[in-house]
Amino acid sequence: MRTDVNTSYNRLAGQSVERLAALSDGVFAVAMTLLVLDLHGPATEVVRCEYDLWHAVVALSPRLLTYLMSFLTLGIFWVGQQTQLNHLARSDRHLTWIHIAFLFAVTITPFSIMLLAEFIRYRLALLVYWINVLLLGAVLYATWGYTVRARLVKDDIPADAPAAICRRIVIGQALYALGASLCVFNTYLSIGFIVLIQINFAIAPRFRPPSRP
Amino acid sequence: MRTDVNTSYNRLAGQSVERLAALSDGVFAVAMTLLVLDLHGPATEVVRCEYDLWHAVVALSPRLLTYLMSFLTLGIFWVGQQTQLNHLARSDRHLTWIHIAFLFAVTITPFSIMLLAEFIRYRLALLVYWINVLLLGAVLYATWGYTVRARLVKDDIPADAPAAICRRIVIGQALYALGASLCVFNTYLSIGFIVLIQINFAIAPRFRPPSRP
Amino acid sequence: MRTDVNTSYNRLAGQSVERLAALSDGVFAVAMTLLVLDLHGPATEVVRCEYDLWHAVVALSPRLLTYLMSFLTLGIFWVGQQTQLNHLARSDRHLTWIHIAFLFAVTITPFSIMLLAEFIRYRLALLVYWINVLLLGAVLYATWGYTVRARLVKDDIPADAPAAICRRIVIGQALYALGASLCVFNTYLSIGFIVLIQINFAIAPRFRPPSRP
Amino acid sequence: MRTDVNTSYNRLAGQSVERLAALSDGVFAVAMTLLVLDLHGPATEVVRCEYDLWHAVVALSPRLLTYLMSFLTLGIFWVGQQTQLNHLARSDRHLTWIHIAFLFAVTITPFSIMLLAEFIRYRLALLVYWINVLLLGAVLYATWGYTVRARLVKDDIPADAPAAICRRIVIGQALYALGASLCVFNTYLSIGFIVLIQINFAIAPRFRPPSRP
């Protein structure tokens, strides 16, 4: 009997794409703003002249860079998730739960990036960050796989879109893995490479403006 | 006279299901992300080599597990509330207030789970967590009861849905109560059982993919 | 020339009721969840047996009550604002700014309630809380006044609704002022009275269920 | 081949104006509420009578003013962004990323204002705040420029609106720059001037109520 109840409930549960999108936007917004709590100004007793303050602000710049990198990472995956959800005709409880797992990985991101900022020369910190990004990518890939398999996609989606979304994730993850593996030589090399990948994803320089009439 | 004013105002108040959903998504998003603030990396002066950092990260894993459990708990009740709100044709001020009470229980969850994480061998900590979950379930049950009684449900809801939603909450709460009562033997046994229930709710392994043409 | 630019821009600005509602829901959600950060479990070294933990949890109960009162206050004003926004046909830049002022008062609420919790026997703490509530009420009243004057209300609003909304705020504020003035005798008396008013607003016991066919 | 994949993915990505608005509202809501965490009541052991508490609350008033200024700044740019998004027919991935850059500047605002509050007599603190505001303005200007160039604007926008939005940003930034440059004489003069500009933007006193029939 319990199976029947569950099946019946499960058919009803988690159908709202809008609510899933709203929860995601909330989680992303909080995660994106959390790290700013780590940006503390210098103690007032340390600063006696403009020069002291200049020094203290400059000393904050690595944290600002980390914060920027965190923002880029979360931005890339927000765009990725948004792109998927935009093409959903409806949701079901399974898709909802895969997305909740995705949001779990999202909320871990501020932590893993903070760890990287504190221990920037340690390979393990880089590894933790990379596992985080891998998790985000893997769950996003699983989401799309389930979406297509369960036929939750809108009818008007371009024919090549499902494949394009999959390839994008695979290529992105391959580049991240390559960047992470560079830590064999040097963690700074890894981070530089990953930041370049992310800026490339954000700016997408190959794009030519649409020539609509 | 005051009664009339109130009645008139109360007829106007709290009619928006969308706003209720948006407030709920915001509260859930903040509650889901709050606990990550508790995940602090080790102090930089403690860590002198990769091995130290590995040790420190491994030492964080119980907190990560607690965080995962918190996420599961909130995820389950988010799906539960979303399922109810999806079937609402409209809201009224009473339903709005029962949902605000529900959100109160939601915001308490990060605290009760943190207490459990800190005092994992204490039965009282488990009891506090269980009371929290019981409160969430009871208010959700009351919400649905009022929704059906006040005829706020959409017309197109499947005939067996209202009963399925009620039974799901009752069965869930019965399992939680059983799990909590296992603390007579051992709190770890309780927690293990509860985590298994929750993973079962999340994954719903009995589900067979819909065989639509 | 500058006047013209401003007038032109001002006609365009702040027209979205949906965005105003979404920003409000976000601010309320964060404000409602912030105070839970103040609920800290006891230090692990203090607790050696179940009885110690029981003691520590009981010692937290005043904070939990304060948190509940904060939730009630914010809940009442959230319902109040939602009721107004629901009846808006559109917004303009002035209304938007009055609502931003309202949200400012909302974000102050966790602070003023925390102050009250810490200094519950001090009249000044009660006065600060009351000024906060007065500000919330005054801005909400001003909002509705402007809404009606600028004809931003939907056409299908019941004829007696605008007056009912105004009277509700005035009666509420009169009761709050009466409650606050009881601090001449005793702050506990004040708080007790205010909590009773708020529970009354939340439960609205005079309500009879709608007898629709 | 990679170029093709990217182009294909980039055509799909970031099309939802609603999601962009929801993420923005979340980020603004958290940023607006964050600074209240800095408002701490006095320690209980310092306060022995009503007079002590009065003293402590008065001592908090500069922070409250800073908080108000932060709210004004964020409010102005929220209204600015909302006005732009309201006139969007659709979004694309480039616009999405320019807005994510805008949100980055938004989350920096609580930090730069806190720095200004702590070091109110230091020109560098004022400069940091001004760079923050300049960044917000510049990205908002770039957003609108791209929106118009890529023809993402709705068809029903008034003919003079695009120019009005641009001029408003330029005039606003010119006034901010003038205010910031006053720090050559005195930082208080600068801050006073900037607060007056912001209050002017919020209240828009030149506005005459619409005389619709």
Side-chain angles (χ1 to χ4, degrees), chain C residues 63-120:
Chain C
R63 280 207 172 270
L64 198 67
L65 268 179
T66 318
Y67 185 48
L68 184 63
M69 186 174 158
S70 163
F71 222 85
L72 273 173
T73 309
L74 289 173
I76 287 166
F77 283 100
W78 182 77
V79 172
Q81 192 220 20
Q82 192 223 41
T83 307
Q84 290 197 9
L85 286 184
N86 279 354
H87 294 103
L88 281 190
R90 66 187 177 287
S91 176
D92 66 15
R93 64 158 322 283
H94 278 62
L95 193 68
T96 301
W97 271 104
I98 311 179
H99 272 284
I100 292 175
F102 176 72
L103 294 180
F104 180 76
V106 166
T107 59
I108 296 295
T109 311
F111 167 72
S112 77
I113 287 191
M114 201 178 58
L115 199 76
L116 186 58
E118 296 267 354
F119 302 99
I120 199 160

Side-chain angles (χ1 to χ4, degrees), chain C residues 129-144:
Chain C
Y129 172 70
W130 175 64
I131 289 172
N132 194 162
V133 168
L134 182 67
L135 197 66
L136 283 165
V139 181
L140 208 56
Y141 193 89
T143 317
W144 189 242

Side-chain angles (χ1 to χ4, degrees), chain A residues 2 6 19 93 107 123, chain B residues 25 50 67 168 200-201:
Chain A
R2 205 186 126 210
N6 274 342
R19 292 277 325 254
R93 66 160 317 285
T107 59
R123 280 169 201 155
Chain B
D25 289 333
E50 297 275 352
Y67 184 48
R168 172 60 169 248
N200 175 55
F201 280 155

Side-chain angles (χ1 to χ4, degrees), chain A residues 1-28 30-32 34 37-38 90-94 96-111 114-115 118-119 121-128 146 149-152 187, chain B residues 20-22 24-26 28-30 32-34 36-37 39-45 47-50 53-55 57 60 64 67-68 71-83 85-87 157-158 160-162 164-165 167-168 171 175 198 200-208 210 212-213:
Chain A
M1 193 206 93
R2 205 186 126 210
T3 313
D4 290 324
V5 171
N6 274 342
T7 309
S8 171
Y9 176 80
N10 287 339
R11 259 202 316 264
L12 297 171
Q15 291 172 335
S16 169
V17 182
E18 287 76 28
R19 292 277 325 254
L20 196 55
L23 182 73
S24 305
D25 289 333
V27 168
F28 270 100
V30 180
M32 278 171 163
L34 264 188
L37 287 171
D38 254 28
R90 63 187 180 286
S91 176
D92 66 15
R93 66 160 317 285
H94 277 61
T96 301
W97 272 104
I98 311 179
H99 273 284
I100 291 175
F102 176 72
L103 293 180
F104 180 75
V106 167
T107 59
I108 296 295
T109 310
F111 167 73
M114 202 178 57
L115 199 75
E118 298 265 353
F119 303 99
R121 275 187 259 178
Y122 289 80
R123 280 169 201 155
L124 186 66
L126 193 86
L127 208 73
V128 168
Y146 180 76
R149 261 199 331 278
R151 288 173 202 175
L152 301 170
T187 54
Chain B
L20 196 56
S24 305
D25 289 333
F28 270 100
V30 181
M32 278 170 163
T33 331
L34 264 188
V36 93
L37 287 172
L39 284 176
H40 290 296
T44 34
E45 53 271 20
V47 175
R48 276 194 215 87
C49 61
E50 297 275 352
L53 188 59
W54 169 254
H55 232 70
V57 169
L60 278 174
L64 197 68
Y67 184 48
L68 185 63
F71 222 86
L72 273 172
T73 310
L74 289 173
I76 286 166
F77 283 100
W78 181 78
V79 172
Q81 191 220 21
Q82 192 224 41
T83 306
L85 286 183
N86 280 354
H87 294 104
I157 193 172
D160 60 339
I165 288 175
R167 264 178 305 177
R168 172 60 169 248
I171 289 169
L175 289 170
Q198 294 189 328
N200 175 55
F201 280 155
I203 297 183
R206 275 171 220 78
F207 186 83
R208 263 156 265 110
R212 294 198 200 92

Side-chain angles (χ1 to χ4, degrees), chain D residues 69-181:
Chain D
M69 187 174 158
S70 164
F71 222 85
L72 272 172
T73 309
L74 290 172
I76 286 166
F77 283 98
W78 182 77
V79 172
Q81 193 220 19
Q82 191 223 42
T83 306
Q84 291 196 9
L85 287 182
N86 279 356
H87 293 103
L88 283 190
R90 64 188 180 285
S91 176
D92 67 15
R93 62 155 328 278
H94 276 62
L95 193 66
T96 302
W97 272 105
I98 311 180
H99 273 284
I100 291 175
F102 176 73
L103 294 180
F104 180 75
V106 167
T107 59
I108 296 294
T109 311
F111 167 72
S112 76
I113 287 193
M114 201 177 58
L115 199 75
L116 186 57
E118 296 266 354
F119 301 99
I120 198 160
R121 275 188 259 177
Y122 289 80
R123 280 169 201 157
L124 186 65
L126 193 85
L127 208 73
V128 168
Y129 172 70
W130 175 64
I131 289 171
N132 194 162
V133 168
L134 182 68
L135 198 66
L136 284 165
V139 181
L140 207 57
Y141 193 89
T143 318
W144 189 243
Y146 180 77
T147 308
V148 173
R149 257 195 337 274
R151 290 173 202 175
L152 301 169
V153 183
K154 279 182 195 161
D155 293 334
D156 62 352
I157 192 172
D160 60 340
I165 288 175
C166 284
R167 265 178 304 177
R168 172 60 167 250
I169 299 175
V170 171
I171 289 170
Q173 289 297 325
L175 289 170
Y176 279 122
L178 177 62
S181 68

